[in-house]
């Protein structure tokens, strides 16, 4: 297994952020809004189902990888860290009453960061501590 680079972590973050934003974001350009409009008008239902399954595959991949890499306690700690970052931003940086869209984007980015941590943690742990996950296969 190769070591992970900052560009590898950034790529994982971009894919996680894209998955989250394609599913839902504060704009009207997201799957939830699009699918709801199509289901109401009964147009493009096969396409809605197809895109929904593709998104579901992405979510299962990211969530399963995160759960296997971080475990329950790791997920709790990562979400706790994200929550304290959010709390600090709300307390010291962003006025919650006037910047609701900014807050929503921050939450999406923090969720993407948690998924990125899950996707990257096994690589980081192996590089830092020399510990591999049980299901790691070394092809040397």
């Amino acid at each position: 297994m190769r070591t992970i680079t900052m560009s590898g972590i950034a790529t994982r973050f971009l894919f996680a952020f894209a998955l989250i934003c394609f599913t839902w974001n504060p704009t009207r350009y997201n799957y939830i809004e699009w699918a709801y409009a199509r289901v109401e008008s009964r147009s493009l239902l096969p396409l809605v189902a197809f895109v929904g399954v593709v998104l579901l595959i992405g979510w299962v991949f990211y969530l399963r990888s995160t759960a296997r890499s971080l475990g329950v306690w790791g997920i709790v700690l990562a979400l706790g860290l994200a929550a304290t970052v959010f709390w600090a931003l709300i307390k010291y940086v962003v006025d919650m009453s006037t910047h609701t869209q900014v807050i929503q984007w921050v939450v999406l980015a923090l969720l993407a960061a948690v998924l990125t941590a899950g996707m990257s943690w096994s690589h980081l742990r192996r590089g830092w501590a020399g510990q591999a996950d049980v299901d790691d296969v070394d092809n040397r």
Side-chain angles (χ1 to χ4, degrees), residues 64-109:
R64 183 172 158 91
S65 297
T66 298
R68 290 183 72 150
S69 180
L70 295 178
V72 173
W73 283 108
I75 292 171
V76 168
L77 291 171
L79 288 173
L81 182 63
T84 57
V85 168
F86 178 74
W87 185 17
L89 286 172
I90 296 303
K91 178 79 173 161
Y92 302 115
V93 179
V94 180
D95 180 15
M96 197 165 175
S97 63
T98 59
H99 296 95
T100 56
Q101 269 204 341
V102 171
I103 292 167
Q104 291 169 347
W105 284 109
V106 166
V107 168
L108 295 178

Side-chain angles (χ1 to χ4, degrees), residues 1-125:
M1 180 187 294
R2 294 180 297 144
T3 58
I4 194 166
T5 62
M6 287 304 291
S7 65
I9 294 171
T11 301
R12 285 170 173 81
F13 177 82
L14 290 175
F15 276 103
F17 191 69
L19 176 65
I20 291 168
C21 289
F22 285 144
T23 304
W24 184 86
N25 65 65
T27 72
R28 63 183 180 149
Y29 302 107
N30 61 71
Y31 176 76
I32 303 286
E33 298 280 335
W34 176 75
Y36 184 72
R38 297 302 162 269
V39 169
E40 267 194 344
S41 67
R42 299 201 189 282
S43 65
L44 301 174
L45 291 179
L47 186 58
V48 169
F50 174 77
V51 173
V53 170
V54 169
L55 285 173
L56 183 61
I57 290 168
W59 277 105
V60 168
F61 176 74
Y62 260 88
L63 291 175
R64 183 172 158 91
S65 297
T66 298
R68 290 183 72 150
S69 180
L70 295 178
V72 173
W73 283 108
I75 292 171
V76 168
L77 291 171
L79 288 173
L81 182 63
T84 57
V85 168
F86 178 74
W87 185 17
L89 286 172
I90 296 303
K91 178 79 173 161
Y92 302 115
V93 179
V94 180
D95 180 15
M96 197 165 175
S97 63
T98 59
H99 296 95
T100 56
Q101 269 204 341
V102 171
I103 292 167
Q104 291 169 347
W105 284 109
V106 166
V107 168
L108 295 178
L110 289 171
L111 290 175
V114 170
L115 291 178
T116 302
M119 292 295 290
S120 305
W121 185 248
S122 291
H123 297 284
L124 292 170
R125 179 178 48 219

